[in-house]
Amino acid sequence: MMLQNFLLNILLMMVWVALTGQLNYANFVFGYVLGFFILWMINRTNTNSKKEYFYRVPKILAFIFYFFYDLMKANWEVAKDVITPNYNMKPGIIKYEMDAKTDFEITMLSNMIAITPGTLVIDISKDKKYIYIHAMYLNDKEKFIKDMKERTERKLLEILR
């Protein structure tokens, strides 16, 4: 049902763009938001199975903004450390226990970690319960694990499950 709503939303977006005749990013975004609102209005009295799309899309957008913020913060921290004469790095390796179970969830989590500057995925255990992460700035191991669990992994799994 989620795929059906997504495709209907894309169709409504394309109809909006065709009606306005303007091929720009703002028009595509407005068409998508308008289509999302129209579909939400139509489906708001239907069963919960059809509402999943309307809960997941805002979570995806929130995750994108959260991850973009984290990415910018990590970039700033690494750039500042490279430019200044003294290094603030305290590198370390963490054995992180994952809640992610499927190969796709593990791959997405690994990609989120690897894309962020200052962190790197070293290995995944054979039983797929642990992931080994190298961090450039490991001042507090417990805080790093807590942030990874509560912020990145939990939000990612909310979207994927």
Side-chain angles (χ1 to χ4, degrees):
M1 199 50 66
M2 188 167 146
L3 181 62
Q4 180 183 6
N5 281 330
F6 176 70
L7 293 175
L8 281 171
N9 202 352
I10 296 296
L11 178 66
L12 288 171
M13 176 188 69
M14 293 301 188
V15 168
W16 173 259
V17 170
L19 287 174
T20 59
Q22 296 178 4
L23 294 171
N24 57 38
Y25 293 116
N27 206 27
F28 278 99
V29 170
F30 182 76
Y32 185 84
V33 170
L34 183 64
F36 183 85
F37 180 72
I38 290 169
L39 289 173
W40 177 75
M41 291 297 288
I42 291 170
N43 289 319
R44 66 189 164 130
T45 58
N46 289 346
T47 63
N48 286 338
S49 64
K50 291 187 177 183
K51 289 185 178 183
E52 179 184 357
Y53 176 72
F54 303 106
Y55 292 113
R56 192 170 284 191
V57 169
K59 285 182 180 181
I60 291 170
L61 293 174
F63 182 77
I64 289 170
F65 285 119
Y66 152 75
F67 187 71
F68 184 72
Y69 170 76
D70 245 14
L71 196 63
M72 292 298 110
K73 191 171 83 171
N75 273 310
W76 172 254
E77 189 174 19
V78 171
K80 183 176 73 170
D81 205 23
V82 168
I83 292 171
T84 57
N86 40 339
Y87 293 108
N88 298 320
M89 288 186 274
K90 187 178 178 197
I93 297 176
I94 299 109
K95 181 180 180 182
Y96 176 75
E97 186 175 358
M98 297 182 291
D99 292 331
K101 301 297 179 210
T102 66
D103 287 344
F104 183 71
E105 291 172 351
I106 294 169
T107 302
M108 291 301 294
L109 179 62
S110 299
N111 286 334
M112 293 294 136
I113 294 168
I115 289 172
T116 307
T119 56
L120 178 68
V121 175
I122 298 172
D123 195 14
I124 299 172
S125 65
K126 293 194 188 299
D127 60 359
K128 297 180 183 178
K129 289 185 178 181
Y130 298 99
I131 189 169
Y132 298 92
I133 304 168
H134 178 274
M136 277 177 64
Y137 304 98
L138 189 61
N139 297 324
D140 185 3
K141 179 181 173 184
E142 298 305 320
K143 183 180 182 304
F144 181 87
I145 291 172
K146 183 181 174 191
D147 284 349
M148 185 67 65
K149 181 74 69 184
E150 291 178 2
R151 296 181 73 198
T152 305
E153 187 177 17
R154 183 180 55 81
K155 290 180 183 198
L156 181 65
L157 292 180
E158 281 178 2
I159 294 169
L160 297 177
R161 291 184 177 166

